[in-house]
Amino acid sequence: MKSFTFRDENGKFYYGWWIVLAAAIFCGLVYSGIVSVTGVFLMPVTQSLGLPVAGYSFYITIMSLTQIITLLTISKHFNEKNMKKIMIIAGCVGIISFIGFAMAKSLMWFYIFAVPQGFCFGAFTMTPCQILVSNWFGEKARGRAMSIFLAIMSIITVILMNVLNFVILSRGWRVGYIILAACVAVCVLIALKVVVWSPAQKGIQRVGDLEESELAAMQQGTASGIGFAAALKKPITWLAFISCTLAVIVSGSILQHGIATMVIGGISQTKATALISTMSLIMIVTGPIIGIICDKFKLSVAAVGTSLFFAMAVFGLAYTGTAGWGIPVFMIGYMFGVPAINIISPLMMSHMYGEKDLSRLIGYVNVFIGIGGAIGATAVGVLYQTFGAYHIPWLIMTGVLVLVAVIRGICTSSKRKYTEFNEKSL
């Protein structure tokens, strides 16, 4: 098989691209509906119900903690037999959570329905989608497949964010949550039709494998790599996990507080939403660029580079409203930096440990991403109330991302790359 193609060995459209499209729809509507568009709701909800910013943000912590428990409990069941069943159940639970939000009369409603939302977030969105895309694309195509998945997701997120902003301003935030419930319902129907565990179930070869034997090993359940238990015994594994937590502490904070920062800086909510949308649209190009760098060059270049760009973005956000260069720096840095979360994080695991237990390792990556999500939005909300402004909190987050760049440079070095020849030395 060619390392990158849109057709299978029979000349038909490669089914893996339908998996990529489905994953993009799931994450564009459900993942983004849970975390990426929360900033659109923050000010309307808190002002309507008279809620404190930190108190409202705390539901994100509850949701993220539930996601963590979900992944720790069921990630080992993400397999050929159970994947579709788990995703369908999680999607149905997600519908209930958004309906609950739409009916909210106090903080307690958000706290209660954050629990089923966390289950949906863990069992229906990024973790299973990353596993499915990884299953359908080998090492030579996985980075680009991931980036295309995230690029399409970005388009959907932009549309969703602007639709929600219009609806919330014209019809109210409760209608916005009902729309998100309907989005999850659509995704459940797509999952019923499209989700397939791997090329083996379709009887076709996998795009992007280094050689035929890699596919045979995958089909027989003997893919090369370091086992999950052995990987967890290595300190470098935990360092990689920690980098995921630190990166998402920052990204989660931006998703929840980025628009609010701009509004306080003198930008209208509609314009702030438009700026975020513009960045997401441009990421349709920047995401695949990062994917190509991952596939064609060293993963370490992309891993360190995206973290530093992300740090630049947050530094710019710290000066929004006080310096004219704040917003441009934020936008440029964010467009090239945010792939650090969902492109680089899972690729670190295949780089370091091969494919033997890749699905379980990706599950743990997302556990630590969940920890970051649990801390970030609430922590920055508390820091904002402590300092009375977002300037210092964002400078702190800049330093966090510089540390992430250092950690990821170590984890993605040539010395850390898994091969059957250097397995004993890792």
Side-chain angles (χ1 to χ4, degrees), residues 196-381:
V196 177
W197 174 252
S198 73
Q201 287 189 301
K202 287 284 186 178
I204 55 178
Q205 296 180 27
R206 184 168 70 166
V207 165
D209 277 330
L210 294 173
E211 55 187 41
E212 296 292 329
S213 61
E214 187 180 2
L215 174 67
M218 178 186 174
Q219 292 174 334
Q220 296 170 12
T222 57
S224 63
I226 294 176
F228 179 71
L232 291 187
K233 293 178 181 178
K234 299 178 182 295
I236 192 69
T237 307
W238 297 97
L239 199 60
F241 290 157
I242 289 170
S243 80
C244 297
T245 295
L246 295 176
V248 178
I249 286 175
V250 182
S251 66
S253 300
I254 292 175
L255 293 174
Q256 182 79 350
H257 298 281
I259 291 178
T261 300
M262 294 184 209
V263 171
I264 291 171
I267 300 172
S268 70
Q269 175 154 325
T270 298
K271 185 176 180 180
T273 302
L275 288 173
I276 298 293
S277 299
T278 299
M279 290 191 298
S280 298
L281 285 172
I282 298 175
M283 282 168 56
I284 296 167
V285 177
T286 59
I289 289 173
I290 300 300
I292 290 171
I293 293 172
C294 293
D295 290 340
K296 294 293 187 180
F297 303 99
K298 292 182 177 180
L299 179 60
S300 59
V301 173
V304 175
T306 53
S307 298
L308 292 178
F309 268 107
F310 210 175
M312 183 178 83
V314 180
F315 185 75
L317 193 58
Y319 288 90
T320 296
T322 60
W325 50 263
I327 288 295
V329 168
F330 167 62
M331 293 179 69
I332 294 171
Y334 190 86
M335 290 183 295
F336 285 95
V338 79
I341 307 299
N342 292 322
I343 292 180
I344 303 301
S345 296
L347 292 180
M348 280 196 303
M349 294 297 104
S350 58
H351 174 87
M352 296 167 67
Y353 299 123
E355 297 198 2
K356 185 174 182 179
D357 274 333
L358 183 59
S359 64
R360 295 189 70 185
L361 288 167
I362 288 177
Y364 261 57
V365 162
N366 285 291
V367 165
F368 280 81
I369 284 176
I371 293 172
I375 297 171
T378 301
V380 169

Side-chain angles (χ1 to χ4, degrees), residues 12-195:
K12 298 180 180 179
F13 186 73
Y14 182 56
Y15 194 84
W17 294 113
W18 291 117
I19 295 295
V20 168
L21 178 59
I25 293 172
F26 300 159
C27 290
L29 294 179
V30 185
Y31 179 94
S32 296
I34 292 174
V35 295
S36 300
V37 302
T38 55
V40 178
F41 286 92
L42 188 147
M43 298 190 77
V45 172
T46 55
Q47 291 174 359
S48 172
L49 297 179
L51 307 177
V53 170
Y56 174 72
S57 298
F58 186 68
Y59 94 79
I60 299 287
T61 299
I62 297 173
M63 182 275 294
S64 297
L65 290 174
T66 306
Q67 176 213 9
I68 293 166
I69 295 170
T70 298
L71 289 173
L72 289 173
T73 304
I74 70 171
S75 61
K76 63 184 178 181
H77 299 296
F78 282 147
N79 52 41
E80 179 178 345
K81 180 180 179 181
N82 297 317
M83 177 67 89
K84 180 182 286 190
K85 297 176 183 177
I86 291 173
M87 292 181 72
I88 298 304
I89 293 170
C92 292
V93 170
I95 295 170
I96 295 171
S97 73
F98 280 121
I99 293 174
F101 277 16
M103 298 169 60
K105 295 180 176 63
S106 66
L107 275 178
M108 190 57 61
W109 286 68
F110 289 99
Y111 295 166
I112 291 171
F113 286 99
V115 174
Q117 190 169 101
F119 179 77
C120 176
F121 191 50
F124 190 80
T125 63
M126 198 59 72
T127 299
C129 287
Q130 287 173 336
I131 291 171
L132 289 170
V133 174
S134 294
N135 284 352
W136 278 89
F137 292 88
E139 182 177 337
K140 284 192 172 184
R142 189 173 293 139
R144 279 169 287 181
M146 284 284 190
S147 65
I148 291 172
F149 146 48
L150 293 171
I152 300 172
M153 171 186 165
S154 296
I155 297 174
I156 297 170
T157 301
V158 167
I159 296 171
L160 180 65
M161 182 176 293
N162 283 277
V163 168
L164 286 173
N165 184 63
F166 174 79
V167 169
I168 290 170
L169 293 178
S170 61
R171 302 295 300 275
W173 56 270
R174 296 184 190 277
V175 178
Y177 281 128
I178 291 297
I179 289 175
L180 289 177
C183 289
V184 182
V186 169
C187 290
V188 169
L189 295 176
I190 294 173
L192 279 168
K193 179 68 176 177
V194 176
V195 169

